[in-house]
Amino acid sequence: KAGVTQTPRYLIKTRGQQVTLSCSPISGHRSVSWYQQTPGQGLQFLFEYFSETQRNKGNFPGRFSGRQFSNSRSEMNVSTLELGDSALYLCASSLQTNTEAFFGQGTRLTVV
Amino acid sequence: QQQVKQSPQSLIVQKGGIPIINCAYENTAFDYFPWYQQFPGKGPALLIAIRPDVSEKKEGRFTISFNKSAKQFSLHIMDSQPGDSATYFCAAVLNTGNQFYFGTGTSLTVIP
């Protein structure tokens, strides 16, 4: 059974640009959550999608957005990139609510 | 405000020792408590999880102890090995979705 797949693995972007990250959850999982991981702030929740609807949202500015498609694949978009957006972005998929979440390897975003 | 407080920040033990990592929370709406292990360059991997109606759970060399009245839970690693050297995160999940609140992480080093 394939795990959670995130693409690309690495990205380098310039301040002011926008970026789109992709996440393919485990087959059959309908919940996809996104997290930002930095040395200073740790793992912080961005948002969760369940059956194409955003169900929960963390405390991030509106520059961070996401969506989920009918096949449960999800994308996360960050517009007007700032240096502080440099982080490891992790996607997690879950079969149901309030249960195990399985993480992908992450996308390492560097903003220069 | 950190919803889940984790300690210690780092831990060094000899091979065969039993490292213990502690976490505390305040929100009684949390009802799922997983532990994750993360190696450098990888996404967090689910180790073991517990729900508040259980006081202890064992899976292999990993044990969670849960104290509902004190709102604390801990991870014990029996017979620790150098391969257990990693960063460990506790988390707490609300019963309304898959929004995980993570602790700040514990860097464990097991010396041969």
Side-chain angles (χ1 to χ4, degrees):
Chain A
K1 191 173 184 181
V4 179
T5 303
Q6 291 189 245
T7 56
R9 290 292 313 279
Y10 303 93
L11 267 178
I12 300 176
K13 290 286 187 179
T14 304
R15 268 182 305 173
Q17 287 187 313
Q18 75 163 16
V19 67
T20 299
L21 313 182
S22 178
C23 172
S24 293
I26 293 171
S27 178
H29 286 197
R30 294 191 295 165
S31 168
V32 174
S33 302
W34 289 88
Y35 292 83
Q36 181 195 65
Q37 186 174 28
T38 59
Q41 299 297 318
L43 281 151
Q44 291 190 292
F45 174 78
L46 281 155
F47 29 67
E48 181 209 359
Y49 286 86
F50 188 88
S51 295
E52 301 180 66
T53 301
Q54 187 180 86
R55 187 160 65 171
N56 290 294
K57 190 176 190 305
N59 295 324
F60 278 82
R63 300 186 296 107
F64 292 82
S65 62
R67 58 177 175 169
Q68 186 180 32
F69 302 95
S70 58
N71 62 357
S72 293
R73 189 177 71 84
S74 178
E75 288 182 347
M76 189 191 100
N77 186 77
V78 187
S79 62
T80 319
L81 283 166
E82 301 177 359
L83 294 179
D85 297 334
S86 295
L88 180 67
Y89 289 89
L90 292 158
C91 161
S93 83
S94 300
L95 179 63
Q96 298 170 352
T97 296
N98 186 243
T99 187
E100 302 159 316
F102 298 94
F103 282 83
Q105 299 236 55
T107 294
R108 171 73 63 184
L109 172 65
T110 302
V111 182
V112 297
Chain B
Q1 182 188 1
Q2 192 71 31
Q3 295 253 12
V4 179
K5 295 181 180 177
Q6 183 173 346
S7 64
Q9 186 175 357
S10 62
L11 194 51
I12 301 173
V13 299
Q14 295 277 0
K15 177 183 173 182
I18 306 176
I20 301 173
I21 303 170
N22 301 298
C23 286
Y25 65 98
E26 285 298 324
N27 191 339
T28 56
F30 290 136
D31 71 348
Y32 178 67
F33 301 88
W35 284 89
Y36 284 84
Q37 178 190 58
Q38 187 177 28
F39 293 104
K42 304 288 187 181
L46 179 64
L47 268 179
I48 186 172
I50 199 167
R51 296 204 183 267
D53 54 346
V54 176
S55 61
E56 185 177 276
K57 184 176 181 180
K58 291 182 181 181
E59 284 187 6
R61 295 186 293 110
F62 301 96
T63 299
I64 299 179
S65 297
F66 190 88
N67 186 329
K68 186 174 180 179
S69 60
K71 292 186 236 172
Q72 295 175 349
F73 58 110
S74 60
L75 176 71
H76 301 229
I77 306 175
M78 306 302 178
D79 187 28
S80 59
Q81 302 295 314
D84 295 330
S85 298
T87 300
Y88 292 81
F89 293 93
C90 62
V93 189
L94 293 170
N95 54 17
T96 54
N98 290 322
Q99 181 171 354
F100 283 47
Y101 292 86
F102 283 91
T104 49
T106 297
S107 176
L108 172 66
T109 302
V110 181
I111 300 170

